[in-house]
Amino acid sequence: MDSKFIPLPDFTEFPVAEMQQRSEDFYNQIRRRRTVREFSDRKVDPRIIDECLKAAGTAPNGANLQPWHFVVVTDPGIKSQIRVAAEEEEREFYNHRAPQEWLDALAPLGTDEHKPFLETAPCLIGIFSKAYDLGPTGSRVKNYYASESVGIATGFLIAALHHAGLATLTHTPSPMKFLNEILQRPRHERAFLLLVVGYPAENAKVPLISKKPLNEIVSYL
Ligand code: IYR
């Protein structure tokens, strides 16, 4: 295939003092992000969601094959179908499937099988990962690093939504196969994550938790 190259467009260099300031500012913005489990039913302007999805679609990914698909759900009927199916899986998870060690790790978060936010929140985004695409004749066209790529795009999406002033919850009912059916996605797409999006409930509470300091998560050579 012919490749075309152009001079790198739009790279902006800043003086070091400004870089220092910008990196601090970004940290101070992103550290305010909290996973929220109590949502308001206030509607979200769909243009904001689309803009954030455009940001997600710029994520670096394997061979630029962009192995993702996003389903934006605002229909109350579909949201309640998702809630019913997710709670069924979660009931199994919390009561039978999850080993005690996992339940112990989750205890500080106060999660359980009840997922009312799946109906309360105005918007759910089903995120799907494609290990391959289907060509025009139904032949498989392989994608590369699909999970990594979709994980990075999801990170971009969460950061964009937070930056826009919305709260999110990364929800991972397991298994998530039911999402293919409800969200009408083909079998070769794997449900990666369900992102709950909206405004926090007025008196939303979050667990008192902390992030590891740099010296616990980084080493330098
Ligand atoms: N999917 C379950 C359990 C759960 C698992 C992890 I790892 C979390 O960080 C939070 C929850 C649920 O959504 O409740």
Side-chain angles (χ1 to χ4, degrees):
M1 194 202 284
D2 261 350
S3 50
K4 273 204 191 129
F5 284 83
I6 57 166
L8 174 65
D10 301 334
F11 182 84
T12 314
E13 185 171 325
F14 304 100
V16 171
E18 198 177 332
M19 290 167 79
Q20 174 68 34
Q21 189 61 52
R22 291 173 65 91
S23 56
E24 273 177 41
D25 290 347
F26 184 77
Y27 169 59
N28 284 322
Q29 287 305 319
I30 202 75
R31 71 191 291 211
R32 291 176 27 249
R33 185 206 61 80
R34 291 298 309 262
T35 289
V36 162
R37 291 190 169 77
E38 293 164 303
F39 282 84
S40 148
D41 61 2
R42 266 169 76 195
K43 298 268 173 291
V44 170
D45 188 324
R47 289 171 303 184
I48 297 167
I49 304 289
D50 275 355
E51 220 51 49
C52 294
L53 287 165
K54 276 157 67 179
T58 70
N61 66 91
N64 196 36
L65 294 170
Q66 305 165 60
W68 41 61
H69 186 85
F70 304 90
V71 184
V72 179
V73 183
T74 52
D75 180 274
I78 301 180
K79 284 194 295 169
S80 53
Q81 281 183 52
I82 292 176
R83 178 182 179 181
V84 168
E87 287 187 335
E88 209 167 289
E89 295 297 355
E90 295 292 308
R91 232 181 341 268
E92 273 299 301
F93 173 83
Y94 282 97
N95 297 324
H96 303 291
R97 270 202 300 265
Q100 192 55 44
E101 191 180 13
W102 194 342
L103 293 176
D104 292 346
L106 290 178
L109 305 182
T111 57
D112 61 26
E113 69 265 40
H114 302 291
K115 306 297 178 193
F117 49 75
L118 293 174
E119 285 186 289
T120 320
C123 178
L124 308 176
I125 306 179
I127 304 175
F128 290 83
S129 162
K130 303 193 275 183
Y132 57 90
D133 273 289
L134 292 180
T137 59
S139 59
R140 290 181 179 197
V141 184
K142 193 172 167 18
N143 289 326
Y144 301 94
Y145 298 102
S147 300
E148 290 84 346
S149 303
V150 178
I152 297 168
T154 300
F156 274 34
L157 179 58
I158 292 167
L161 290 163
H162 169 72
H163 183 68
L166 288 167
T168 58
L169 162 59
T170 40
H171 183 42
T172 50
S174 162
M176 275 192 278
K177 266 249 129 257
F178 66 86
L179 284 177
N180 284 68
E181 205 169 302
I182 298 176
L183 301 183
Q184 301 166 36
R185 298 312 303 165
R187 278 222 318 271
H188 72 282
E189 294 188 6
R190 182 176 64 85
F192 179 78
L193 194 125
L194 186 63
L195 197 65
V196 184
V197 183
Y199 296 92
E202 221 156 86
N203 34 23
K205 288 204 169 62
V206 292
L208 180 61
I209 52 175
S210 59
K211 297 297 178 188
K212 293 178 180 174
L214 214 52
N215 66 351
E216 282 182 37
I217 62 170
V218 186
S219 53
Y220 303 91
L221 294 174

